[in-house]
Amino acid sequence: MMARSLRSRVLWLVALSLLSVWLLLALWLHNTVKQHLGTALDQRLAASARMVASMANASAPVLSGNPGLQAAVNSGLFCQVMNVRGEILARSGGAPTAHLASAQDGFTERSLEGERWRVYTVSEGQIRVATAEPMAVRESLLSTLAWALLVGLLLAVLGLVGGALGCEPWLGTLGCDAQGI
């Protein structure tokens, strides 16, 4: 009886130690991926804005049919092209009707038409381009990541608890005995 008690305590100690390490790693991984994901999504916004700006400057008369605007739409981003006076020359389908662009070039977060947006604005020549994506998209990606980490943590806990409690009851239901393993 004493050996079983000692074995049980050691297994619980190992299980709790591993659980603590897994929890710390999951928190660290979540924060790291959140940072890298935000950077990658920001780079995509900036690259799309620069691409549309260069295409708009090259073909200002045909902005409404510009494939750069469609490319931005197809990637889940929304785009507006404006002149230096702030008049919207073209916008992608689904983009807010309100001005996306901020007063300064660069990244901003704005609330437009009841929705939060991450916006990148760039000026090139006589054209200002703003690309945006709803913050809900970023939050959805992070939520999916958090759930994946939580499921992994729960599976690890179940495995550790199962090991700490012993696998003899499970072996019996599988038709095996502890000596046969």
Side-chain angles (χ1 to χ4, degrees):
M1 186 71 169
M2 185 69 115
R4 179 126 174 120
S5 176
L6 180 59
R7 176 181 158 208
S8 178
R9 281 187 270 165
V10 167
L11 285 174
W12 275 108
L13 180 63
V14 168
L16 289 175
S17 298
L18 288 173
L19 178 63
S20 299
V21 168
W22 178 261
L23 183 60
L24 289 173
L25 284 173
L27 290 172
W28 173 78
L29 180 63
H30 182 267
N31 287 334
T32 301
V33 170
K34 179 180 178 181
Q35 180 183 10
H36 289 293
L37 180 65
T39 301
L41 293 174
D42 281 349
Q43 288 173 347
R44 183 177 76 139
L45 270 178
S48 294
R50 285 190 291 270
M51 176 196 67
V52 171
S54 67
M55 294 176 82
N57 273 325
S59 60
V62 290
L63 278 175
S64 59
N66 196 315
L69 291 177
Q70 291 308 312
V73 171
N74 293 337
S75 66
L77 303 179
F78 300 96
C79 183
Q80 286 182 350
V81 179
M82 295 149 284
N83 60 20
V84 290
R85 292 182 303 275
E87 299 164 338
I88 297 176
L89 303 174
R91 69 181 183 94
S92 60
T97 54
H99 281 275
L100 287 171
S102 61
Q104 300 291 324
D105 284 0
F107 292 102
T108 58
E109 286 184 23
R110 304 201 49 199
S111 183
L112 300 168
E113 300 174 5
E115 191 170 10
R116 290 180 335 152
W117 296 82
R118 179 73 170 168
V119 180
Y120 181 78
T121 305
V122 64
S123 299
E124 191 172 301
Q126 298 297 311
I127 301 290
R128 291 195 82 208
V129 175
T131 55
E133 72 177 338
M135 288 298 291
V137 170
R138 291 172 182 242
E139 291 163 358
S140 173
L141 288 170
L142 290 173
S143 175
T144 301
L145 171 69
W147 277 108
L149 289 172
L150 181 61
V151 167
L153 180 62
L154 289 176
L155 289 175
V157 167
L158 289 175
L160 291 173
V161 169
L165 294 177
C167 60
E168 288 87 6
W170 297 350
L171 291 175
T173 60
L174 295 175
C176 303
D177 61 355
Q179 303 301 324
I181 293 182

